[in-house]
Amino acid sequence: MSKTQPSQKKKVAVLPGGKTPARKNLAAIKVHGLLRAYESHCMKMGSCVSTVLREDFSRCIDIQKPLTKITLFFPECSTAERASVSVCPLLCAVRDERYTHVKELRLWDLPIKHEDMADLCLLLEHKGRTVYPLTTLELLDCRLDHWALTRLGRAVALSSITTLSLDYTPIELEGLKGLLSGLEWSSHVLSLSLCYCGLGPWSGSPLASLVSRSAVRHLYINGNGLQRGGATELLQPLAEHSEQTAMTQQTTHPTDTANENSHQGLSQDSREKRVKGKGQKKRRQRVKRKSAGAVATGPWLEKLHMLDNAIDEAGPGATAAGVDLINIICVLVKHSSHLLELDLGENHVGEAGGKLLLEALIERRKAKHPPVKIRVSTRMSPSTFSAILKSSKELKSVKRKRPSRRKTKKN
């Protein structure tokens, strides 16, 4: 068999610095092609080239791995230069190169025009085109109007997105309804973050409809103004569903204390440890299967973060009929076996509310539900506050702070 002549070898792309990648490694070649296409489109459209994104491209080329997380923002741009900043060159480059390795797309503090939003939505939707399997979309402080939010909601419902974050984006009632209209019947969006979006008491009912009809299991609404009225409307269906589910389970599977104590050959302590260990393992597996399936709908949440929502004030939008928000929260804590995280920090529940919440945590432990991570304000007696912490797990915030234009971020 004759050997291949040198003149018959295929040409290999040359990377920056004169480096030639291995023939088997196509990741660096694809990233390099995406970088060239991005710079070319920036030049044609008169847009600034993000140095942060260029560094991410170069780093992936050096380590010869595909770029799976794209973060586009311009910390080095001044106010005058921001007029030439655009997301369109990046979207065009991804389409031209058919770059399907991106899993996470983060756009921070960018002016997104209607044309750019339309291009982004076409990239997300699965309608016979090249499928770009994006799972995380983050649009922070991008100033989206009603049309853009409505278009985005419809596109996300037809995409692979499981995590959607619109933090620091001012959203009014019509914009929220337009966004949620596309997400309400989604069976794959698991996490929604609307922190510091200016939501008021009017947002409680649309959000309650969302969690009742969609697969959203993680809801982050920190830094808004739901107050008691909006929080009550949001939590009411969650509490009612958890209470009804608990009553149904008790009726269908009544506890038989005689059978529980009929085990012989084991001491009381060892028997309790064994039963507790098996129960916790089964519950963890059940919760994990439900989270991974992402198809079950209904008014229940695993993570609810409501830090700093002014629910210590009655304010406008407070509900009539004397519905007590603390009692609703306690019902949710007692009976919801799905609830894993509850953030009520910087909201004044008071000493009386703290004691009710402590009793609910004790009842939850007796019901052998999974432990819940909880955070409350310190505006109560030290003894009640410490008892709540002992009866629950510590909750640490995982939300990212607002990006700064003066600092760069590495993937």
Side-chain angles (χ1 to χ4, degrees):
M1 202 173 208
S2 60
K3 296 183 179 180
T4 305
Q5 298 296 328
S7 58
Q8 298 177 348
K9 290 183 178 180
K10 296 182 179 179
K11 295 182 180 180
V12 180
V14 180
L15 303 180
K19 298 180 180 179
T20 303
R23 292 188 62 181
K24 292 183 179 181
N25 180 28
L26 299 178
I29 299 176
K30 289 182 176 295
V31 175
H32 182 238
L34 182 63
L35 172 59
R36 289 188 303 177
Y38 171 63
E39 292 176 338
S40 175
H41 282 292
C42 284
M43 184 178 299
K44 293 178 182 178
M45 300 178 185
S47 175
C48 293
V49 177
S50 174
T51 57
V52 178
L53 185 56
R54 180 183 287 168
E55 290 175 0
D56 292 339
F57 282 130
S58 300
R59 184 171 60 256
C60 290
I61 292 173
D62 291 338
I63 63 177
Q64 297 187 351
K65 289 186 177 180
L67 180 66
T68 59
K69 301 179 182 179
I70 291 182
T71 302
L72 182 62
F73 74 114
F74 296 80
E76 68 278 3
C77 285
S78 63
T79 305
E81 293 174 332
R82 296 191 65 77
S84 61
V85 170
S86 176
V87 68
C88 189
L90 175 62
L91 300 178
C92 292
V94 172
R95 284 201 308 268
D96 291 350
E97 297 296 319
R98 297 183 181 272
Y99 191 81
T100 59
H101 299 282
V102 180
K103 302 294 184 181
E104 301 179 16
L105 178 61
R106 297 184 174 94
L107 308 177
W108 292 357
D109 195 14
L110 295 176
I112 299 183
K113 304 176 183 178
H114 284 180
E115 310 90 81
D116 297 340
M117 178 56 68
D119 290 340
L120 175 60
C121 292
L122 290 175
L123 194 72
L124 297 176
E125 294 173 342
H126 296 169
K127 287 185 177 180
R129 308 181 184 92
T130 301
V131 176
Y132 299 94
L134 286 164
T135 58
T136 299
L137 178 62
E138 205 172 80
L139 304 177
L140 270 62
D141 195 10
C142 289
R143 297 172 293 281
L144 306 178
D145 59 10
H146 170 237
W147 182 90
L149 290 170
T150 304
R151 182 67 181 90
L152 178 63
R154 293 201 303 264
V156 170
L158 300 175
S159 69
S160 303
I161 297 295
T162 59
T163 301
L164 177 63
S165 177
L166 301 176
D167 297 346
Y168 302 101
T169 299
I171 299 178
E172 299 179 353
L173 177 58
E174 294 302 321
L176 180 65
K177 289 182 177 180
L179 173 68
L180 301 186
S181 63
L183 301 180
E184 278 188 352
W185 305 105
S186 172
S187 61
H188 57 84
V189 179
L190 303 179
S191 178
L192 176 63
S193 182
L194 300 174
C195 297
Y196 303 96
C197 293
L199 304 180
W202 44 264
S203 63
S205 179
L207 291 174
S209 178
L210 171 71
V211 299
S212 299
R213 300 177 181 178
S214 71
V216 172
R217 296 295 165 253
H218 303 167
L219 182 61
Y220 302 90
I221 49 175
N222 297 337
N224 290 292
L226 267 70
Q227 303 181 11
R228 285 185 178 270
T232 299
E233 292 181 351
L234 170 60
L235 297 179
Q236 185 87 42
L238 298 174
E240 291 177 353
H241 179 265
S242 62
E243 190 173 21
Q244 292 174 1
T245 303
M247 294 176 62
T248 303
Q249 291 177 351
Q250 290 178 0
T251 304
T252 308
H253 304 287
T255 57
D256 189 351
T257 56
N259 291 336
E260 291 180 359
N261 297 326
S262 62
H263 300 286
Q264 297 181 357
L266 294 175
S267 64
Q268 182 69 18
D269 294 340
S270 61
R271 182 164 61 250
E272 289 180 357
K273 291 181 180 178
R274 182 177 179 181
V275 173
K276 182 178 180 181
K278 289 183 177 180
Q280 290 180 350
K281 183 177 180 180
K282 290 182 180 179
R283 282 192 293 270
R284 286 196 298 267
Q285 291 176 348
R286 183 168 62 252
V287 171
K288 185 176 181 181
R289 285 196 300 268
K290 288 182 179 179
S291 299
V295 293
T297 59
W300 56 272
L301 291 175
E302 294 178 357
K303 298 181 181 181
L304 176 59
H305 289 222
M306 300 179 61
L307 179 140
D308 190 16
N309 264 271
I311 61 174
D312 54 325
E313 303 174 359
T319 57
V323 179
D324 192 349
L325 175 61
I326 299 301
N327 288 333
I328 294 176
I329 294 176
C330 291
V331 171
L332 184 64
V333 172
K334 285 180 186 178
H335 301 296
S336 177
S337 60
H338 302 97
L339 187 63
L340 301 178
E341 293 184 8
L342 178 62
D343 191 352
L344 299 174
E346 299 185 27
N347 294 296
H348 181 36
V349 299
E351 175 66 16
K355 290 182 177 179
L356 291 175
L357 188 58
L358 178 59
E359 294 176 1
L361 288 170
I362 295 175
E363 292 293 330
R364 180 184 181 87
R365 185 168 54 188
K366 290 181 180 179
K368 297 182 179 180
H369 291 318
V372 60
K373 295 181 180 179
I374 193 169
R375 176 164 55 182
V376 294
S377 171
T378 57
R379 297 171 66 180
M380 61 183 67
S381 65
S383 58
T384 304
F385 181 76
S386 60
I388 291 176
L389 294 182
K390 290 180 181 179
S391 301
S392 61
K393 289 188 175 183
E394 182 182 4
L395 176 61
K396 296 181 180 179
S397 178
V398 296
K399 294 302 297 178
R400 185 182 293 105
K401 294 182 179 180
R402 188 170 187 170
S404 173
R405 295 181 184 178
R406 299 301 177 186
K407 296 180 180 180
T408 59
K409 176 184 179 297
K410 300 295 184 180
N411 279 331

